[in-house]
Amino acid sequence: MLLAGDAMKIVAPISEKKIKTLQKSSACGVVPGLWVKVVPLKNGELAKYFVLRERSINRTFNLGKYPDMSLAEAFKKAAEWKEKVKQGVDPAKEEKARRDALRREREGICEALDILTFEKLIRQWIEFNEARGKWSKTSKSKTQIWDGFFRNHIPESLRVCPVTQLTAQMFYDALAEKWRTMVDTPERILSDARQAIDWAMRSEMIPPMINPCIVKDGKLGDLLPLDRPAGGHEPALPPKRMPAFFKALMELVPVSQTARCLAFAILTAARNTTAREATWDEIQQDDEGNWLHVIPRERMKVKSEKIPFDRKTPLSLQAVELLKATPRYPSDDVQLVFPNIYRGLPSPLTRDAVRTLIKRMHNKQRKIDRIGWVDPDQKDQTGKPRIVTLHGCARATFNTWAKDARGYRHKAFSRDLRESCLDHRNESYQCAYDREQALGDMREVFDLWAEFCCSECGK
C-alpha cells in the first residue's frame, strides 16, 4: 500500500477500469509516489500520464502515457526507477543515454549502408534550400525549428526509417493526437515533410513513390481525425475588459518574463514573433530623444520587397518604464529583451509559454467571475468561449478600441493611421509612395492606448 502525504493516508491500488474514468490526477497505490496525471486537452478530452514523484530527491519522472503504457507496465517501471534512485542513479538520464546510443547505432548502420533516413532527408532538404536563400533570416532557423520537431514530436522509429519505407500509417501514429489538439504544428511538420520527399524524388535521390505526407486527397487525409482544434480568427478581449486584464497582467510582471513580453506586445500592438524575438539593439532613440522599437523589415510579415524601410513603433511612457524594469542577461549573445533561460542558454520565449501564462490568468479570473479572459464571439468545438491570445489582445483588441473614438472617448484616428500602427500595407500603390511612417501621429495613438490599458493599474 502507498503511504501518501503528511497524514500517511493509505491509498488503495487503482484499476485499469478506474483509470479510464478518471477526471483528475490520482495516486495509483502499490508503488509509493506513482500517480496518474490527468491533463485537459484543447478539444475537451483528457490525456493521462503515469508519473513518479520521488520526494527524496524532489523530482518528478514521466514514465509514459496511458493507454500506450499499461498499469502493470507502469507498476514495474516505477519500482525499477525507485530502486535506481536509491542507488544514486538518475533513471531518466540513463534511459535517454540508452536511446541516444541506440539511435547512434542505427544511424551508423544507415550511414554504412548509405541509406537515406527521414531525418537525414529533412536536414539535407533544409541545407539545400538555405543555400539558395529560400527562407528569410530570423532568430530561429529552419534547422532549429526541426531540431524542436524531432525532439518533441517525431518518434525515434520515424526519424531513422528509410525514406522509401515511410507510410501514411507511420505519420498517423506519430501525429494523430497532435492533429486533434494542436493548431498549426502538425500542418507545418507534414508540409515540410511532403516538400522534402517531393524534392528527393525530383532529385532522383529516391525512386518515384506515393508521398505518404499528402493530406488532401491522400491516404493520410483518410486516416487523420476530422475534429480539429478551433482555428479562424485569434480570440480577442473586448476593449472594455482590457484595463482589468492589463492590471492582472502587470501584477505578474515582477516575477514573470513571459508577462513582461505579453505586456510589451499589447502596448505596442505587436505581432507574436515581433514581441517574443525583440532584441535590445532594436530599442532606439530618435534625434529628439523619443524611444522607438525599430524592427528590421525582414522580421516583419510585410517584407522589404513591398516596403523599403524598417518598421518603427513609437514607445509610450508605460512601454519604456516596462523595459527599464526588465533585467538584462550579459551571457546572452543575441541580447533578447525577453529571453527564455533554459539550462543557461537564452532563447526566444515560445508561443506555448505565452499561451500557458494566459490560461493560468484565465483560470484564476474564472474563479472570480465565472467567465475568465475569453472572446465572447469565438467558440471552441464544445461551444465554450475561446481563451484570448497574444495576437488577439495586442492587435484585434487594439484595433477595435482605435476605431471607436466616441465609445472609448479618444481622438478619432484615420483608417490609414490605424493600419500604419498595425503595419498593414497591402495596396501596391500605397507602398510605392510611402517612404516613412507617420511617427508623430502614431506616437499619439500608442500613448492614448497605453493610458487606456493602464487606467486601472494605479501609479
Side-chain angles (χ1 to χ4, degrees), residues 174-195:
L175 299 173
E177 182 177 337
K178 300 176 190 297
W179 183 262
R180 297 170 60 212
T181 59
M182 302 179 75
V183 175
D184 56 7
T185 297
E187 283 96 334
R188 295 171 65 189
I189 291 173
L190 292 173
S191 176
D192 283 358
R194 176 179 53 78
Q195 293 178 56

Side-chain angles (χ1 to χ4, degrees), residues 50-95:
F50 290 111
V51 298
L52 177 63
R53 299 174 180 176
E54 189 52 58
R55 295 185 179 182
S56 62
I57 57 174
N58 195 25
R59 284 276 303 276
T60 298
F61 298 103
N62 293 317
L63 303 184
K65 183 180 178 182
Y66 179 84
D68 297 341
M69 172 179 281
S70 68
L71 180 59
E73 291 171 335
F75 283 147
K76 181 179 178 182
K77 188 172 183 177
E80 292 174 350
W81 279 34
K82 286 186 72 69
E83 187 60 32
K84 289 181 183 294
V85 170
K86 290 180 181 179
Q87 298 171 4
V89 177
D90 185 332
K93 188 175 181 180
E94 184 182 63
E95 185 174 271

Side-chain angles (χ1 to χ4, degrees), residues 273 356 405:
T273 304
T356 301

